[in-house]
Amino acid sequence: MSPGISFFRPHIIPTVTMLVLVPLFIGLGFWQLDRAGQKRQLADTQETRRTAPVLELDSRMLDAEDVEHRMLAVSGTFIPEKSVFIENRKHQGKTGLHVISPMKIASSDRYLLVNRGWVRTPPKEEPSAVVRVTGRAVVPEPPAIQLGGGYAPASSQQRWPYFTLETYSAWSGLAVYPFMVLQSPDDDHGFVRAWVSKPVDETMHIGYALQWFAFALIVAFIWVRISLVKESGKEIVE
């Protein structure tokens, strides 16, 4: 009896499946590697801007992408009647509000939104004198899910479930910068400010990339095993 011989005979359905899945998984792997590169670049940009000298904000129009994550300093006057209070903000296990107030920049017609920090209840404030604020520029992110096509507060409503620049601009009618400032805890005035910076982590995307490449390898291996057909040799009699 001669030993069995394996023949490579790909079948149509497994082959088509392999030709679809392997390029797909490889493409997803490289996409995750690209995302990791973007996160790495973002982390480098954030670190560079955090360590840059404080930028003095005046009447110039600045784009959010040019100043995001950078420390700014500005002098102006808060407009308390145009403040809004964002509900369900947590601090040390307690529920309160974030106070977001527009600041009219000195010698300018523009307004800068300042997140002044956390409070238990909305404060009662009168228009203040010129104050100086320092803080980190951020672009507020809208909630992942907005029910009913978005939030449209009434003209007198100051307590909001969430905050977006677009909503605030429409509600207030003020010419605001396309970013806001998280007021520095070192400032003398304001409320509780314990900002948490989310670390930019690229390792998650690298891990996902390795998983997609592994899936592609597994599919290719299964296809090869299925395509190998073993046939028994015939017995030879002299």
Side-chain angles (χ1 to χ4, degrees):
M1 181 77 69
S2 62
I5 301 174
S6 295
F7 295 91
F8 188 71
R9 293 177 180 172
H11 302 285
I12 294 178
I13 294 178
T15 299
V16 171
T17 302
M18 183 274 299
L19 291 175
V20 171
L21 292 182
V22 169
L24 174 63
F25 291 158
I26 291 176
L28 289 171
F30 280 111
W31 173 67
Q32 287 293 340
L33 288 180
D34 183 64
R35 291 282 294 146
Q38 294 175 14
K39 288 290 184 71
R40 192 181 308 114
Q41 184 177 9
L42 176 60
D44 293 341
T45 299
Q46 290 185 5
E47 183 61 25
T48 300
R49 291 186 176 181
R50 285 194 182 105
T51 56
V54 176
L55 176 64
E56 187 73 28
L57 187 63
D58 49 31
S59 59
R60 292 172 297 169
M61 183 58 191
L62 298 175
D63 292 330
E65 62 183 13
D66 295 330
V67 298
E68 189 177 10
H69 308 298
R70 185 163 181 181
M71 289 296 295
L72 305 180
V74 59
S75 297
T77 306
F78 284 124
I79 313 297
E81 64 269 20
K82 291 294 186 179
S83 294
V84 293
F85 311 106
I86 312 304
E87 300 175 321
N88 296 319
R89 305 297 104 172
K90 299 290 186 179
H91 175 67
Q92 296 181 348
K94 299 178 181 179
T95 301
L97 309 161
H98 276 181
V99 181
I100 299 179
S101 300
M103 169 180 276
K104 187 178 185 302
I105 300 175
S107 303
S108 172
D109 292 330
R110 301 201 67 84
Y111 293 82
L112 173 69
L113 289 171
V114 180
N115 190 332
R116 301 166 66 190
W118 181 92
V119 294
R120 290 295 302 274
T121 58
K124 295 181 180 179
E125 295 184 291
E126 297 295 333
S128 62
V130 174
V131 295
R132 184 169 176 80
V133 166
T134 59
R136 181 165 56 89
V138 298
V139 177
E141 295 183 358
I145 299 177
Q146 299 184 35
L147 299 179
Y151 179 63
S155 59
S156 60
Q157 186 175 356
Q158 290 183 277
R159 294 182 67 137
W160 295 6
Y162 60 86
F163 180 90
T164 68
L165 288 170
E166 293 78 9
T167 302
Y168 184 84
S169 296
W171 175 82
S172 66
L174 300 178
V176 297
Y177 280 96
F179 53 86
M180 75 161 53
V181 164
L182 301 180
Q183 189 173 358
S184 172
D186 298 329
D187 283 2
D188 294 333
H189 49 281
F191 309 104
V192 177
R193 297 184 294 273
W195 310 120
V196 178
S197 297
K198 295 181 181 179
V200 179
D201 188 8
E202 66 184 86
T203 58
M204 175 183 67
H205 295 288
I206 295 176
Y208 288 155
L210 293 177
Q211 288 180 5
W212 287 121
F213 291 145
F215 291 156
L217 186 61
I218 291 171
V219 170
F221 177 76
I222 293 175
W223 174 72
V224 170
R225 288 295 302 270
I226 293 175
S227 300
L228 288 175
V229 179
K230 191 172 184 179
E231 296 183 356
S232 300
K234 297 180 180 180
E235 185 176 359
I236 301 176
V237 181
E238 295 182 359

